[in-house]
Amino acid sequence: MSVTERVPVSPQASFLGSGPYPEHRWRVVLWSVLAGFALTVLWSAPFVDSVIGDSVANTLLGHDAKATPIGGVLAGTFFAFVSGLAGTFTACNIAAFGAVAPLVGGRATGRPKFTDTLKPLGWIAAGMLTVSVVYGVIVALVGTRMPQFSTASSSGGLSPRNIQSMIVYGVIGIVFIVLGLASVGIVRNPIAGLTRRFPPAPLVLMGALIGGFLIGRPFPLFRMMFRSAAESHNVFYGAAAFALQSVGNILVMALLFLLLTHGTGGRLQRWMLAKPTRIAVVTGAALLVAGTFTLLYWDLRVLGRTGVIWYPTIKW
């Protein structure tokens, strides 16, 4: 059977698959972890948050996003989507791009059908929206008493919001790392049993992790939306705003996936299948880079910024 005649591999099969795994799997892990660490050192939050994020939001809204109060529910829901899109490349969302490689490697052969590529995006959206909608409702009910709303600094220079971000992103980073290690065969697939019963489980889990970004997100434009939803005590507004924030977060990722899939006419997928271990290497590396960056940036680099520990950074 030729490469172009092989039976397509589903996204959930190649993502956390059962092999074949690369021979030099520890080399893949080492270089991926080093790449994630290097990204934390080079990352410029002021440039990404202000120069890119604020510029995108100001352009789409037609006014200064930070200086203009959110005026009502309709304006708030639109602001939620725009701020989510503006925050695409921020440190609290960049790990979402770790899902692109597993998605692209999911369909193995032939010219992909557009409906087939929408299915894995739909499963990711299902996991993501479940988390973001539930959290939006909680924010609307609890209001400004939530730790994520508090900026009061403790003696160590960490606010409750900082601590919540560290915990949430630390857990998400660890999960990404475990998924990456499972992808290259270092550890056993932790959700193998669930995946056998429900094949889209890995994609739903990836979506839930992306939705979880909102639980710890400190992005300034997100904080404005958070305050608006918390002070409204309107659960429908909270659910819609947080859902649209997440949709904005993954829009560029989804378009990139569709472009890589349909723009290459399936050639990229066939390239990934040309070598049996290539899917495992690419998906594992993407998840490990994303997980290492998320864990180190939001835990160790935050501690370094507050002076608790030393962490190398290049300011620009």
Side-chain angles (χ1 to χ4, degrees):
M1 182 180 294
S2 66
V3 172
T4 57
E5 293 173 333
R6 292 180 64 176
V7 178
V9 179
S10 68
Q12 53 269 27
S14 61
F15 176 28
L16 299 183
S18 57
Y21 299 121
E23 180 181 355
H24 303 292
R25 61 191 72 176
W26 281 108
R27 188 180 302 172
V28 175
V29 173
L30 175 62
W31 284 111
S32 300
V33 170
L34 287 176
F37 166 72
L39 190 58
T40 67
V41 175
L42 298 171
W43 192 266
S44 173
F47 175 79
V48 175
D49 291 2
S50 300
V51 177
I52 298 179
D54 291 354
S55 297
V56 170
N58 294 344
T59 300
L60 293 177
L61 292 173
H63 56 73
D64 189 325
K66 289 182 177 178
T68 306
I70 299 176
V73 172
L74 291 179
T77 52
F78 181 62
F79 182 92
F81 173 75
V82 169
S83 60
L85 182 60
T88 296
F89 297 103
T90 58
C92 44
N93 190 70
I94 199 68
F97 286 91
V100 174
L103 286 172
V104 171
R107 184 173 179 84
T109 65
R111 180 174 291 276
K113 296 180 181 179
F114 187 73
T115 53
D116 289 339
T117 54
L118 291 182
K119 291 178 181 178
L121 288 176
W123 286 118
I124 285 181
M128 177 189 73
L129 293 176
T130 299
V131 174
S132 57
V133 166
V134 169
Y135 190 57
V137 170
I138 293 174
V139 168
L141 291 174
V142 179
T144 57
R145 299 190 303 274
M146 299 186 68
Q148 195 171 358
F149 193 80
S150 175
T151 58
S153 297
S154 64
S155 56
L158 294 173
S159 66
R161 186 180 67 204
N162 293 144
I163 296 172
Q164 181 170 331
S165 296
M166 292 174 66
I167 294 173
V168 171
Y169 283 104
V171 170
I172 291 175
I174 291 172
V175 175
F176 265 93
I177 290 171
V178 171
L179 295 179
L181 293 174
S183 295
V184 296
I186 298 294
V187 301
R188 297 182 62 181
N189 179 357
I191 58 171
L194 176 61
T195 303
R196 283 192 294 270
R197 296 190 299 272
F198 180 60
L203 297 176
V204 176
L205 172 61
M206 181 63 67
L209 294 173
I210 295 173
F213 293 165
L214 301 188
I215 300 177
R217 192 165 208 183
F219 182 46
L221 294 178
F222 170 74
R223 294 203 303 269
M224 291 182 63
M225 186 208 75
F226 185 99
R227 177 187 290 271
S228 177
E231 292 180 342
S232 74
H233 295 293
N234 184 330
V235 294
F236 298 103
Y237 173 36
F242 277 66
L244 287 172
Q245 170 85 190
S246 286
V247 171
N249 286 164
I250 69 165
L251 181 61
V252 174
M253 180 211 77
L255 293 176
L256 177 60
F257 162 57
L258 294 174
L259 177 63
L260 291 174
T261 302
H262 296 281
T264 62
R267 287 188 295 274
L268 181 57
Q269 288 82 359
R270 291 193 292 272
W271 172 83
M272 293 184 74
L273 271 189
K275 188 174 181 180
T277 60
R278 194 165 281 166
I279 290 179
V281 171
V282 174
T283 57
L287 294 169
L288 286 167
V289 171
T292 301
F293 172 81
T294 302
L295 177 62
L296 296 184
Y297 185 91
W298 288 105
D299 282 4
L300 298 188
R301 181 163 163 167
V302 167
L303 292 176
R305 189 173 65 243
T306 57
V308 176
I309 64 172
W310 177 83
Y311 194 85
T313 57
I314 297 178
K315 297 182 179 181
W316 55 284

